[in-house]
Amino acid sequence: VLIQSGEFVVAFRPDTEESRIEQMNIRSQLELAVDRDELSFVLQPKVNAQGELIEFEALMRWEHRDGHVSPASFIPMAEEFGLVTQLTDWLLDAVAEFQSQPLRPGQSIVPVSVNVSARDLERGDLVERVLKALSRHGVQPDCLGIELTETALLGDWDGAMEQLHQLRFWGIRVSVDDFGIGHSSLSRMVDLPVDCLKLDRSFMQGVTSDRRRLMLVRAMVDLCRSLNMQVVAEGVETEAEVTRLSEFDGLLFQGFYFSQPLSRIACRRLLGSAASS
Ligand code: C2E
Ligand code: CA
Ligand code: CA
Ligand code: CA
């Protein structure tokens, strides 16, 4: 496509222009998603070796008029467009609201973790935003956790550390997500003020066929235990994996083998049956 502007002839490669228009489109669609009530979330259980429910992770969903969009594609775009903190705030509020409605008065609440992005930490006000969502719905801080990746910590390390300390001071659980595939040094990770490491799914692939993979997971579990951190094995898909990983005391599991992410209604049903058994 050639566009004549004054004396200049500006050439656009068709695919570049299209993708730019597409990006503009997605941006405005994302900006509208909250108002149009297109966002929702599902909850995936984290369980112990006995399959008992310990915690949930909240995963965002976007039902656009033209179909479902995966968070693996819209979250990175929201980060690029500077919209992700709005999405985080929406989810913090929605999860706090969910947690404010136990099935029965006095029933103990299963904590829910929310993923936060590097942008949320960079702004420096994450602690206030989390506390505000909690107090708006009268929810205790131990009902909520946050998950962040190693790379989210790399920008302003000291600022991030301060916020993590604050979150934990208030009793909000902090997990490091996708652990082991980022580039942070082990010595730094040892200093992290976090409650839990989530071992990336890529480590689970291979634990049944490759002894060294299994030894690597063992070493990480041992290290975490001696540092008083909990460990979650992410993306566990097969019985064989679970059998292998069950030899590690205290390891928690999250993955399709135990459960797909569940709708809020399905969660309530699960909580109801757990409470009555
Ligand atoms: P994540 O935080 O690592 O979340 C786990 C992802 O793995 C989820 O995909 C989940 O459905 C999927 N998963 C769970 N068990 C298994 C399994 O056994 N096998 C396989 N192959 N996958 C499994 P989902 O929901 O599509 O989310 C993708 C990513 O998008 C998340 O990865 C996270 O990085 C991001 N994301 C999702 N929701 C949010 C959000 O509310 N805020 C932010 N900042 N990021 C989010
Ligand atoms: Ca996560
Ligand atoms: Ca993860
Ligand atoms: Ca991931």
Side-chain angles (χ1 to χ4, degrees):
V1 181
L2 291 174
I3 294 177
Q4 188 103 37
S5 71
E7 311 112 86
F8 300 104
V9 175
V10 188
F12 285 103
R13 290 214 341 264
D15 59 319
T16 314
E17 196 197 7
E18 260 168 30
S19 76
R20 205 172 293 145
I21 289 171
E22 177 128 315
Q23 284 225 334
M24 266 159 49
N25 251 325
I26 294 172
R27 184 191 182 130
S28 52
Q29 299 292 310
L30 251 178
E31 277 173 338
L32 289 169
V34 175
D35 290 337
R36 286 182 181 157
D37 232 8
E38 291 174 346
L39 296 179
S40 65
F41 67 91
V42 288
L43 296 164
Q44 190 178 32
K46 302 175 194 177
V47 303
N48 63 18
Q50 290 73 48
E52 294 162 340
L53 177 64
I54 305 297
E55 223 191 289
F56 287 115
E57 173 177 7
L59 296 159
M60 210 182 290
R61 295 291 178 260
W62 181 15
E63 289 307 329
H64 187 261
R65 282 176 294 197
D66 300 335
H68 170 83
V69 192
S70 164
S73 54
F74 77 77
I75 294 289
M77 288 193 249
E79 285 175 337
E80 194 186 319
F81 300 146
L83 298 170
V84 78
T85 54
Q86 272 167 259
L87 300 187
T88 306
D89 284 336
W90 175 83
L91 187 57
L92 285 170
D93 192 75
V95 166
E97 185 188 24
F98 177 83
Q99 294 293 59
S100 72
Q101 300 158 351
L103 285 180
R104 278 177 272 291
Q107 185 192 11
S108 67
I109 289 175
V110 177
V112 175
S113 289
V114 169
N115 292 284
V116 302
S117 91
R119 300 292 186 116
D120 290 305
L121 282 175
E122 275 164 23
R123 254 179 49 172
D125 59 353
L126 181 63
V127 184
E128 290 157 48
R129 290 158 59 206
V130 171
L131 292 176
K132 220 178 263 173
L134 291 171
S135 76
R136 205 158 34 231
H137 296 282
V139 173
Q140 295 302 311
D142 59 359
C143 299
L144 203 99
I146 61 145
E147 297 190 6
L148 46 95
T149 61
E150 295 164 65
T151 32
L153 296 166
L154 294 181
D156 170 14
W157 179 266
D158 293 336
M161 288 309 101
E162 175 59 25
Q163 292 179 81
L164 299 192
H165 276 298
Q166 285 284 329
L167 287 166
R168 294 184 77 213
F169 168 81
W170 287 103
I172 295 151
R173 284 172 52 77
V174 178
S175 300
V176 174
D177 209 351
D178 303 348
F179 182 73
I181 58 168
H183 301 283
S184 30
S185 71
L186 260 186
S187 66
R188 265 195 158 176
M189 298 318 286
V190 167
D191 294 331
L192 274 181
V194 301
D195 304 280
C196 177
L197 288 192
K198 300 185 74 182
L199 301 183
D200 190 70
R201 188 164 77 86
S202 55
F203 290 107
M204 304 317 137
Q205 298 161 343
V207 292
T208 52
S209 55
D210 182 347
R211 183 129 191 95
R212 284 173 302 181
R213 289 267 132 192
L214 190 65
M215 291 304 103
L216 182 57
V217 172
R218 171 190 299 248
M220 292 193 287
V221 172
D222 284 347
L223 177 64
C224 287
R225 191 175 305 132
S226 55
L227 294 169
N228 255 328
M229 290 181 195
Q230 207 162 38
V231 192
V232 175
E234 283 197 285
V236 176
E237 292 181 351
T238 66
E239 184 167 10
E241 287 167 5
V242 175
T243 307
R244 269 295 150 75
L245 294 166
S246 301
E247 71 177 77
F248 306 131
D249 274 348
L251 184 61
L252 300 183
F253 301 88
Q254 182 180 355
F256 296 162
Y257 176 75
F258 288 101
S259 176
Q260 295 274 335
L262 305 169
S263 69
R264 270 171 274 191
I265 292 168
C267 282
R268 295 227 174 262
R269 235 177 277 134
L270 181 71
L271 292 170
S273 65
S276 60
S277 65

